Structure formats: structure tokens, C-alpha cells
Amino acid sequence: AAPRPAHGCGSGALLGRFGVLLQALLAVCAFSTLMLKRFKEPKEERRPWRIWFYDTSKQGIGSLFIHFANVFLSDLTEEDPCSLYLINFILDATLGMLLIWLGVKVVSWIVHRKKYTYLVFGEYGDPPQAAAWIGQCILYLLIMAFEKTVISLVLFIPGWTKLQQILLGYIPSPQLELVLVMFVVPFIVNAIMFWVVDSLIMRKYKQKDTLDINGSMETPHARRTEESQVLLSPEMDFDQSESDQDISGLQGMNQKMKQPSYQVVI
């Protein structure tokens, strides 16, 4: 068995049975906040499930990449892996969040300049194309890799060891420290990060739905198609006030259509 330090969790604790269970529970609880966010959206702007999956899966893949990178980096030294993971996580949630926002802005500017429509975050075509989703996932992973590289370089700055002792040095139980590091703190921070990043990468799609009724949302498109058929129908060229009343039923329509033809003959 790996030697356990006097304070903090031992080497390999993050990938132990209890650690893996906490990570699975964290993934379910944190990702459920994205489902809650979808139901909190206005009904006229609510994304279909397929679009929602395309948007949120990019975050899921990026979060898994960052998580396993943090677990790998935390076991590289003989220091307490729990405190190292917590430091990585805090840096990802602060400086890393700023880097992700900057990366999304830069990539979006390049994509708009090159006119790569399907690489715009949140735009998948009509009908949605899986190829657009794959391309956006690759771009988002590149942003996350850039963010993690910068954070790893920041960790070379001396002084992080003292911060480790301050953060978790007062917790005597290794399991309690593991719960705080792998579930409690990440759940709170990830819920906020997922909400913010989802709003950032879905913004273009929401603007499109608001400005363009002919988007991928079915209800406005069906409503406009029905209105266009009514306006272009050759049988509905008579008085507009009477045609509005004819919609109530087939018998009413036939009677109203006969009445204006009779008056024209007279």
C-alpha cells in the first residue's frame, strides 16, 4: 500500500474506489444543472433536445479532459494529491475561465472572418449536421488544451506548497478531504461554470432563433407556412373579414364562400 501522509489523502486516492464513485456522482449532479438551465429558458427560445445535446456535449467532453488532466498532474509529485487537485481546480475556475472566454472569442472571430458557417459555436445547420458538431468539439478541445497548458505553467511559480497547507492542512480525515475536493467544491463551481459557458457558446443560436423565424424551431416555421398557404390560396380572395370567420369550420367556410358569390351576381 502507498504510504499515506499525516494529513491529506494518499497517493492514488483520486483513482481509488471511493474517489471514482465521487467523480461519477459529481458528473451526474453537475451535468444535471445544464438540464435545469434548458427548462429555465423561455419556451420560444428553448432549444430542441438534439441542439441542446450538441451544445452541452462540448462542455462535457472538455470537462472530462480537464478533470483527467488534473488527476494526472496531481499524482506526479509526492505532495498531497487532494490539495494539488484542488489548486488545479481553483485555477481552472478563475484564470482558466478567463482563458476559455478569450479562446471562444478569438476562435469565433476567426471563424466569422473565414466564413466557416458550421464552425460557429451553436450553429449546426438546418437540419442539424453531426459534422458541424464534431468540428466545434475539436475547436473547443483545442481551447481547453490551451487553457490547461497555461494553468500548468502557472503551477511552476513557487509558493503553491504553502497554499496547499493552508487549504486542507486542518482536515484530519483523508476521506473527508476527498469528499470536499472531489465532490462538494467541484459541484458548486462546475454548476456555475457550466451555466456561464453554455450561455456563451449557445448565444449565436439564440439570436438566430429570435431574429429569423425560419430557423430550426418547428413551431414558428409551421405557423409561418400555414399563414403563407392561407394568403396564397386562390379560394380565399374574397373579403378578409369573412375569411377570418371561415376558419372555424368546414360548413361555415362553404356557406361564407357561397354568400359573397351570390352578392356579386346581384
Side-chain angles (χ1 to χ4, degrees), residues 69-70 73 88 91-92 95 145-157 160:
N70 289 340
L73 293 173
N88 274 281
L91 288 175
D92 288 329
L95 178 59
F146 164 74
E147 181 267 342
K148 193 68 246 180
T149 302
V150 175
I151 296 300
S152 301
L153 294 176
V154 172
L155 287 175
F156 283 102
I157 300 175
W160 293 111

Side-chain angles (χ1 to χ4, degrees), residues 48-250:
W49 282 109
R50 186 176 182 181
I51 300 298
W52 175 85
F53 171 77
Y54 281 170
D55 285 340
T56 56
S57 59
K58 292 195 289 287
Q59 281 205 79
I61 295 173
S63 298
L64 287 176
F65 171 78
I66 294 296
H67 171 75
F68 287 113
N70 289 340
V71 171
F72 174 76
L73 293 173
S74 299
D75 277 333
L76 287 181
T77 66
E78 297 180 356
E79 301 290 339
D80 177 15
C82 288
S83 58
L84 282 176
Y85 181 89
L86 184 60
I87 291 174
N88 274 281
F89 187 81
I90 292 175
L91 288 175
D92 288 329
T94 53
L95 178 59
M97 190 68 188
L98 178 62
L99 293 173
I100 292 173
W101 175 83
L102 181 62
V104 170
K105 290 297 183 181
V106 171
V107 169
S108 299
W109 179 80
I110 295 175
V111 166
H112 279 290
R113 187 175 180 86
K114 297 294 184 179
K115 297 181 180 181
Y116 298 145
T117 306
Y118 285 161
L119 293 181
V120 176
F121 287 119
E123 301 287 349
Y124 307 102
D126 188 13
Q129 302 293 325
W133 169 71
I134 294 175
Q136 294 177 34
C137 284
I138 294 174
L139 288 180
Y140 192 74
L141 277 177
L142 291 176
I143 295 174
M144 302 303 286
F146 164 74
E147 181 267 342
K148 193 68 246 180
T149 302
V150 175
I151 296 300
S152 301
L153 294 176
V154 172
L155 287 175
F156 283 102
I157 300 175
W160 293 111
T161 305
K162 295 182 179 180
L163 182 59
Q164 291 176 232
Q165 299 174 355
I166 296 174
L167 288 176
L168 299 173
Y170 59 90
I171 300 178
S173 173
Q175 288 190 343
L176 178 59
E177 181 176 339
L178 195 60
V179 170
L180 290 174
V181 170
M182 299 300 295
F183 181 76
V184 177
V185 176
F187 171 69
I188 297 174
V189 178
N190 273 330
I192 299 174
M193 289 182 61
F194 281 176
W195 200 290
V196 173
V197 175
D198 185 61
S199 299
L200 182 63
I201 63 178
M202 67 167 283
R203 184 176 303 164
K204 297 299 181 182
Y205 177 77
K206 288 178 66 176
Q207 288 178 354
K208 180 180 179 181
D209 287 344
T210 304
L211 298 176
D212 185 9
I213 302 179
N214 285 326
S216 59
M217 296 182 67
E218 297 179 358
T219 303
H221 179 73
R223 187 185 303 116
R224 183 165 181 173
T225 303
E226 183 180 356
E227 291 175 357
S228 62
Q229 291 177 354
V230 172
L231 293 176
L232 296 177
S233 177
E235 298 177 356
M236 305 297 287
D237 289 335
F238 49 90
D239 190 8
Q240 184 64 31
S241 61
E242 295 178 352
S243 65
D244 292 337
Q245 300 174 358
D246 293 342
I247 302 176
S248 59
L250 182 59

